[in-house]
Structures are given as structure tokens and as C-alpha cells.
Amino acid sequence: ESIFSELQGSEAAASEAALEQQQESYESDKADLAYEKVAAECEFKDAPEAMVTRMNNTLTSNLSSYASTYGVDLGTYVSAMYGGTAEEYETTLLEQSKMMAQHYLMMQAIADREGLSVSDEELEEQLSQEAQDYGYETVEEYKSLVDVEAFREYLMTQKVLAFLGENAVAVPAE
């Protein structure tokens, strides 16, 4: 086989990979825009306090970890990410948590209406995959470190986003 045919094969594979990446990007952008449109049309009520508290605890924990990675305190990190002052970071995180809870409830309402759910088998499969990806010896070891129900909620939101992307109709901008 000549070097020319090898180059053509490499170019074709690269072109196919680029096209696939563009398609994935398009689908992701379409789902994001559909989500934003749905959220803009929703009238949000206050989310249950327990849900807001749980989301606030998770958000605070995650952002604390990121802040320490960058060598800054949580207030400084929150201020850089969300605005506001470093001293008011707790208020900022609480407002973010309220918004997250409302948006989760919106996503759950869509899931309920469309009959979308995450089965125990899907949950276990994803947990097992992540445990393997992150190098844990067993899925049980990984599960002991994560909030399994929060992970199920995350998977459900991913299903809803995929549903929105698949069912959104793209129209040309005016």
C-alpha cells in the first residue's frame, strides 16, 4: 500500500472524527438552548427547604474542594465564579442552591410528564463505570463515597437534557 493511500485513510478518519465531534457539539448546544427556553418559560416557586439545604451542602463541599485545588479560600473562589463579595459567599451559594433546586424540580416535572426515569440497573451500570474510570477496586467502595440518590438525580437530568435536545426543533435565527 502506498503512502498516498495511507494518508487518504488518515484524512478520512480525521474528517469523520471532526464531523462526529461537530454533531455532538450541535446536539449539546441544541439541548442547552432547549433547556434555557423551557426554564425561561417556567414560573418557579420556592423549592423545599430540605432540597435547598442538601444542594447547598453539596455545592459548598464541591466548591471548597475546587478552591483548595487553586489555593484560595472558599469566599474568594465563590466570588470569582458567581460574583458578589468574598464575605457574602454564603448568601451567594444559598441563592445558587435555590436556583439549582428549582431547576431540578423543573427537570423532574419534565421527566414525570414524559415518563423518563433512571432504573436501578442504569444507576448501577453508571456507578460501576465511574468506579472503574476513577480506579476504585469495587463499585461498593465508590458508592460509599458518593451520594447515590444525588447521582441518580444527575443521571435523570442528563436524560431530560437528551430528551429536550432530541425533541427540540431548531429554527433559523431571524
Side-chain angles (χ1 to χ4, degrees):
E1 203 171 300
S2 74
I3 189 76
F4 180 71
S5 60
E6 284 181 36
L7 286 173
Q8 281 182 315
S10 295
E11 285 178 7
S15 177
E16 188 173 315
L19 187 60
E20 186 175 311
Q21 186 175 10
Q22 280 183 324
Q23 183 66 30
E24 287 175 13
S25 180
Y26 170 78
E27 293 299 329
S28 176
D29 290 347
K30 187 173 145 189
D32 289 346
L33 288 171
Y35 172 84
E36 289 172 17
K37 182 70 173 165
V38 170
E41 298 295 321
C42 280
E43 182 179 319
F44 292 104
K45 296 181 179 175
D46 289 339
E49 190 174 328
M51 177 182 272
V52 173
T53 299
R54 184 173 56 82
M55 291 193 169
N56 191 44
N57 290 341
T58 300
L59 183 61
T60 301
S61 175
N62 290 344
L63 294 180
S64 293
S65 177
Y66 294 141
S68 69
T69 298
Y70 290 107
V72 297
D73 63 81
L74 181 57
T76 301
Y77 188 80
V78 170
S79 176
M81 291 297 296
Y82 298 108
T85 67
E87 294 75 28
E88 298 171 338
Y89 80 89
E90 290 173 334
T91 302
T92 301
L93 288 180
L94 184 58
E95 290 305 313
Q96 288 296 315
S97 298
K98 287 178 182 178
M99 184 186 69
M100 287 168 51
Q102 289 172 329
H103 283 247
Y104 170 75
L105 291 172
M106 177 192 79
M107 300 280 268
Q108 186 60 57
I110 294 169
D112 291 346
R113 180 176 178 174
E114 300 300 331
L116 303 173
S117 64
V118 175
S119 69
D120 290 342
E121 293 79 21
E122 289 172 305
L123 177 65
E124 288 300 319
E125 182 180 316
Q126 287 298 317
L127 285 167
S128 179
Q129 184 61 53
E130 286 212 0
Q132 182 180 353
D133 290 349
Y134 293 130
Y136 288 91
E137 293 289 324
T138 66
V139 69
E140 285 73 26
E141 179 186 3
Y142 181 64
K143 284 167 61 174
S144 73
L145 301 172
V146 298
D147 180 338
V148 174
E149 285 312 304
F151 190 75
R152 182 189 298 269
E153 291 171 352
Y154 164 76
L155 293 177
M156 187 276 305
T157 62
Q158 295 306 301
K159 271 193 174 187
V160 172
L161 282 174
F163 171 83
L164 290 174
E166 290 166 8
N167 291 284
V169 177
V171 294
E174 294 180 15

